[in-house]
Amino acid sequence: MKDYDESTAFLGQWGRFQQVVFFLLSASIVPNGLGAFSVVFLTDIPRHHCLIPEENLTQDWRDAIIPIEVVNGKREQSRCSRYRLDVVRNLSAQGFIPGRDVNLTDLEQEGCVDGWSYSKDIYQSTLVSEFDLVCSDQWKQPFTTTACFLGFLVGSFISGQLSDRFGRKPVFFTTMAVQTTFSFCQAFSPSWTVFTILIFFNGLGQISNYVSGFVLGTEILTGDVRVIFSSMGVCLGFAIGYMILPLVAFFLRDWKSLLLAISLPGVLYIPLWWFIPESPRWLLSQGRVEEAEAIVRKAAKTNRVEAPTVIFKDYSAHDDDPQEHLNVISLVKTQSVRSTTVILCLVWFSLSIGYYGLSLNTSRLHANPYISCFLSAAAEVPAYMSCWLALKYFPRRLSVIFILLLGGVSLFLIQLVPETLSELAVALEMLGKLVITSGTSLMYAYTAELYPTVLRNTAEGVCITVSRIGSCLAPFLLQLRESFEYLPYITLGTLAVISAFAALYLPESFGKPLPQTIQQMQKRESMKCPCITRKEHLKPVVHLESRL
């Protein structure tokens, strides 16, 4: 926004006002970390088999009535069938012994007509055991997560428009209320259909709240503090919530109790209304100069500095731009811009499906899903730190290629690890999760640096939409392990490696000024050495969006 940073420079960058905004907005992201991956526990599938009614069966027949199947080279009880109960009842009554007097493979099987029996070794109950989302209804289990991610997709579209129309602060607190309310209501869902509808709106509230808080912070804060907030503040807030999730789930092993606990923090954030101001930048864009000045003067008082008599003198909210008519079609009009857009969409898609696929797979990494989830969450902390270092010191294209190759290779190697070295397999998956998380964060800045001002937000919106499609497909990707245990890893690794080679054809943006026109973007060349000397006065672009 024109002259805003210069007009408010007297406030400084790290006074008490900025500290309050920084930490409160970062803390407001913690519930998003709690809620985003709660589906890992809510929709986990406990061990189960067909329910055997209280029949007059001998213990031998009660133990043998569930057929044994070989799954991924291991013998285990069938989850979806049993030997016909009436036949078994007659054989038991006649005194026959299974395996000795009767060949079990000759017996006819039937489905779980009396329901299922679920193990309570790990969970007291999950959504799966509550509504029997197994066997013929197993597709409902991944679709539940997809419904949440569809809410993310819709929320990504509408949150920006709503905050542009009604303001950052009202949308921030309204969507926080939406997130809290629907999380609470989910616990009382009478059916899977109702739960799926509620989780859609919960996801919509989560992403809208995240984006609104992100934008509010980046517009209030300035300089280096803004960069730290956008690259680490909100991300670490999300990671902290993510790390708290398995601890809460460990003590609350019933899905309803877990949802109630997740919804509670939203109520605690109500007092923030009186501490977090509206964005002065947005107020200025609406011509509400007096309100913007009032907020800045209050900030000056908080920071104990003296404000000038007139803060925003002759302020103009909009600049005339002859290229404002450019839209999404402009991303595919010319060959160079079209190639860049297609490659970026592929990279975004690969990183998004990889991030959510690995995050949702945490319950299967270790015998203890709570430990697995915590390890997955903890991996995000070094990921964000490494992203910040990469943005500051290394070329963008080289960083993206390295991240994709390292992530892809680590996922490929998992299938070669012997079962006796399960810790090594977990370490490889965590390495893949770390670098993919880092790459996802890095792509926001890289994409923004490649496009001219008149197309920047449009390009980012298209890439983020494609990434959301990847996140929606991630739950179904994990179902491929039913065919072959390592197929999800092979698929994710293949996508990562293909994207790495495609990224070779992206232009480099490190150490270069931002393009202002399509012509400047087209002049950038690819397939050259990315080791460009960085100019000290250039800083990473701050992108006003979310990674959630």
Side-chain angles (χ1 to χ4, degrees), residues 468-489:
R468 294 283 177 253
I469 296 174
S471 65
C472 290
L473 294 176
F476 291 98
L477 172 73
L478 297 180
Q479 297 300 307
L480 295 177
R481 60 181 167 228
E482 300 296 331
S483 301
F484 177 53
E485 183 177 2
Y486 300 107
L487 191 53
Y489 298 120

Side-chain angles (χ1 to χ4, degrees), residues 98 117 135 192 244 297 400 418 463 518:
S117 175
C135 299
W192 172 79
I244 294 175
R297 291 188 186 280
V400 170
C463 290
I518 291 288

Side-chain angles (χ1 to χ4, degrees), residues 15 41 108 124 149 155 158 164 225 291 300 313 322 369-370 382 395 400 444 458 469 547:
F41 300 106
E108 186 179 351
Q124 286 299 311
F149 292 154
I158 68 172
D164 285 343
V225 177
E291 294 178 56
K313 184 178 181 181
Y370 306 103
V400 170
Y444 284 105
T458 301
I469 296 174
R547 181 202 49 76

Side-chain angles (χ1 to χ4, degrees), residues 42 46 118 124-133 187 189-192 254-256:
L42 295 175
Y118 296 93
Q124 286 299 311
S125 68
T126 69
L127 195 71
V128 172
S129 63
E130 182 77 15
F131 299 118
D132 291 331
L133 308 183
S189 301
S191 66
W192 172 79
D254 172 76
W255 69 278
K256 294 184 178 181

Side-chain angles (χ1 to χ4, degrees), residues 455-471:
L455 273 180
R456 189 166 295 126
N457 284 341
T458 301
E460 292 269 9
V462 169
C463 290
I464 291 168
T465 299
V466 173
S467 75
R468 294 283 177 253
I469 296 174
S471 65

Side-chain angles (χ1 to χ4, degrees), residues 30 80 105 282:
V30 172
C80 300
T105 58
W282 179 81

Side-chain angles (χ1 to χ4, degrees), residues 315-424:
Y315 186 85
S316 175
H318 303 281
D319 294 327
D320 293 329
D321 192 331
Q323 302 189 59
E324 283 184 348
H325 63 279
L326 294 179
N327 52 38
V328 67
I329 303 300
S330 304
L331 295 175
V332 294
K333 272 188 176 181
T334 61
Q335 181 179 356
S336 60
V337 179
R338 180 169 58 248
S339 299
T340 298
T341 302
V342 171
I343 294 172
L344 284 175
C345 286
L346 173 62
V347 174
W348 275 88
F349 178 87
S350 301
L351 289 171
S352 181
I353 195 173
Y355 174 79
Y356 284 100
L358 295 176
S359 297
L360 296 173
N361 190 50
T362 53
S363 62
R364 296 177 178 266
L365 285 181
H366 190 276
N368 189 324
Y370 306 103
I371 293 177
S372 299
C373 184
F374 180 80
L375 291 175
S376 178
E380 301 211 354
V381 176
Y384 298 135
M385 293 181 177
S386 62
C387 174
W388 177 74
L389 291 174
L391 284 172
K392 189 171 183 180
Y393 296 110
F394 297 103
R396 309 290 188 251
R397 181 173 59 192
L398 181 63
S399 298
V400 170
I401 293 172
F402 174 78
I403 284 170
L404 288 168
L405 287 177
L406 181 58
V409 170
S410 65
L411 295 178
F412 275 133
L413 292 177
I414 292 176
Q415 61 184 311
L416 304 179
V417 178
E419 292 186 7
T420 55
L421 297 176
S422 59
E423 293 82 4
L424 178 58

